[in-house]
Amino acid sequence: MLGNLKDQPADKILALMASYREDPRAEKIDLGVGVYKDAQGNTPIMRAVKEAEARLLKSETTKSYVALAGDPAYAKALSELILGDALAADRMAAVATPGGTGAFRQGVDLVRMANPDATFHVSAPTWPNHLSILKTVGQPFVEYRYFDNATGEVDFDGMMEDLGKVASGDVVLVHGCCHNPTGANLTEAQWEAVADLIGERGAIAFVDLAYQGFGDGLEEDATGTRILARKLPEMLIGASCSKNFGIYRERTGLLMGLCDPAHVKTVQGNMNHLNRQNFSFPPDHGARIVTTILNDAELTADWKAELEEMRTGMLALREQLAAELRRLTNSDRFDFIARHRGMFSRLGLSPEQVEAIRKDFAVYIVGDSRINVAGLNEETVPKLAQAIAATYE
Ligand code: LMR
């Protein structure tokens, strides 16, 4: 029976990780998978995380099950961080999930249970695993225009025109901040307009929030999500702590559903049920780290300070790369790199150019020309700029 299985298409981001590892060239540069790296190329455990873990080691007395929804203190702390004063606890249901991917998957399953015909409207482009999960589950999806490859900016008119055709009961998937893979984001005024349009169409928003704190700051990066939460009667939020707490392998996510208070109990029950069906109890260690940090003023301050260093470091690399490319190409063609936010920028290069950069310069970029800015440092920025400029000669 197992012999009937067919090979699955490789995940492009993970396949790139593997080919980077196999490349023997010492000067190779990894700008592939979305993992934060410091100037030495390490992904450090954040100070506050280490301290929270040390405290947990001492204080934890059991590893028994917590609850299907995870620890309510975790949902409370993280939802407050995300929604701030847009949070109305009486209209929220939430479950802990294995990472942001788990939150997305559980959210898709929940939509499927509520309305199997709901079409997901996804940005063109979006994180490839969104599409792969929707395909696996069998949920219909269509793309809305989002990124203009020629300018490196959001095609807002195109986006609004496409979202204007969304049917009632459909789902509009948006990236809360730091759009993956493009790095191009909506302004506050544009978020307002998108929220109004989704409301007018009678659709629900599904926010994937995986990089809060990596763009313009923790509060600023939640602006879009909060606008949607204030304006829409119903929405889903899939959040990840992998990046902003640097706890990738702990698989720490949260699925939140905002709805009419009269429906919260049933929505919560369905989320719990889905956790039980798919993996039973969610992972707890990462969630407990996050809760420990967010419920302690000193740890929170230290975590915010370190996150801010990471964020401003990435911004400086963006500025440096944009300036270097301006100099080498004698044009402002790549200035959008400095305007983009988060870990990623899509450069608008062809697959052939991306391949040439890998072959000739040992720089690993995802095939759609997405770079992970955090994979750079002051020394490697000029090398990347040279490699990009060379593909234009
Ligand atoms: C990425 O886009 O590189 C990250 O979200 C990691 C992943 O799992 O793909």
Side-chain angles (χ1 to χ4, degrees):
M1 185 261 278
L2 297 181
N4 294 336
L5 293 171
K6 307 257 177 325
D7 286 338
Q8 294 294 328
D11 181 295
K12 292 200 172 66
I13 298 172
L14 303 188
L16 190 73
M17 263 171 104
S19 45
Y20 173 80
R21 271 198 216 110
E22 283 158 19
D23 191 329
R25 288 176 288 183
E27 73 280 14
K28 64 186 177 177
I29 301 172
D30 178 16
L31 306 181
V33 69
V35 171
Y36 174 82
K37 289 190 217 126
D38 63 17
Q40 288 72 44
N42 301 318
T43 304
I45 301 178
M46 294 177 84
R47 296 183 299 260
V49 168
K50 265 284 182 215
E51 174 58 26
E53 283 189 312
R55 289 186 194 179
L56 286 173
L57 195 62
K58 276 202 194 128
S59 64
E60 247 182 352
T61 53
T62 178
K63 292 282 186 191
S64 178
Y65 294 126
V66 179
L68 282 180
D71 180 2
Y74 165 65
K76 181 171 185 299
L78 191 59
S79 59
E80 282 171 4
L81 180 79
I82 292 167
L83 287 168
D85 58 12
L87 174 69
D90 66 336
R91 59 181 293 245
M92 187 185 81
V95 282
T97 56
T101 307
F104 179 67
R105 173 62 194 256
Q106 297 300 81
V108 172
D109 279 354
L110 191 75
V111 168
R112 193 164 183 74
M113 283 166 79
N115 178 8
D117 299 326
T119 295
F120 274 69
H121 297 258
V122 301
S123 61
T126 191
W127 183 46
N129 209 26
H130 284 148
L131 306 181
S132 180
I133 287 173
L134 289 165
K135 269 186 213 151
T136 300
V137 173
Q139 199 65 18
F141 63 89
V142 292
E143 290 185 326
Y144 58 83
R145 277 171 282 172
Y146 184 79
F147 186 68
D148 182 344
N149 235 1
T151 62
E153 308 287 355
V154 174
D155 172 8
F156 190 64
D157 292 342
M159 177 180 184
M160 291 297 276
E161 201 182 316
D162 289 350
L163 292 185
K165 298 175 200 143
V166 167
S168 170
D170 279 357
V171 180
V172 177
L173 177 65
V174 293
H175 299 224
C177 65
C178 307
H179 186 268
N180 178 8
T182 69
N185 299 294
L186 300 180
T187 64
E188 192 171 336
Q190 289 172 336
W191 276 114
E192 298 274 358
V194 166
D196 289 339
L197 185 55
I198 295 175
E200 272 163 38
R201 302 303 304 166
I204 80 160
F206 193 153
V207 179
D208 186 337
L209 188 66
Y211 297 89
Q212 190 185 359
F214 270 38
D216 288 309
L218 270 172
E219 293 296 310
E220 294 82 349
D221 291 349
T223 302
T225 308
R226 291 176 188 178
I227 289 171
L228 292 166
R230 282 196 193 97
K231 290 199 170 183
L232 298 175
E234 287 192 347
M235 74 186 276
L236 293 169
I237 304 166
S240 168
C241 299
S242 299
K243 279 87 182 186
N244 53 6
F245 287 86
I247 49 173
Y248 303 84
R249 63 175 65 167
E250 301 300 350
R251 312 312 299 133
T252 310
L254 186 73
L255 174 67
M256 286 171 262
L258 306 186
C259 59
D260 188 308
H263 299 147
V264 166
K265 193 162 167 273
T266 305
V267 173
Q268 183 68 58
N270 276 269
M271 286 180 170
N272 294 356
H273 169 79
L274 277 175
N275 270 10
R276 182 69 171 156
Q277 302 320 302
N278 286 334
F279 46 78
S280 200
F281 295 89
D284 182 67
H285 184 66
R288 212 153 280 273
I289 292 169
V290 169
T291 312
T292 304
I293 294 173
L294 294 179
N295 285 334
D296 181 288
E298 217 174 294
L299 288 184
T300 299
D302 190 42
W303 166 67
K304 283 186 178 172
E306 192 168 358
L307 179 60
E308 193 58 9
E309 278 166 34
M310 291 157 71
R311 185 183 79 80
T312 51
M314 287 186 282
L315 274 184
L317 291 167
R318 288 186 174 282
E319 295 284 347
Q320 190 192 350
L321 180 58
E324 196 72 16
L325 280 165
R326 201 175 309 133
R327 199 174 61 76
L328 289 177
T329 63
N330 207 16
S331 82
D332 58 7
R333 162 82 186 80
F334 291 102
D335 277 10
F336 60 79
I337 293 171
R339 289 193 293 275
H340 285 172
R341 285 296 180 271
M343 259 186 168
F344 306 119
S345 268
R346 183 185 261 205
L347 299 178
L349 307 179
S350 68
E352 293 73 30
Q353 286 172 306
V354 170
E355 177 59 15
I357 288 173
R358 191 188 59 76
K359 221 168 114 269
D360 301 340
F361 295 89
V363 179
Y364 283 72
I365 297 175
V366 182
D368 64 357
S369 78
R370 181 192 87 169
I371 57 164
N372 172 10
V373 176
L376 292 164
N377 62 33
E378 277 178 31
E379 278 77 51
T380 54
V381 163
K383 291 181 189 162
L384 171 63
Q386 252 171 13
I388 296 170
T391 69
Y392 275 90
E393 281 161 13

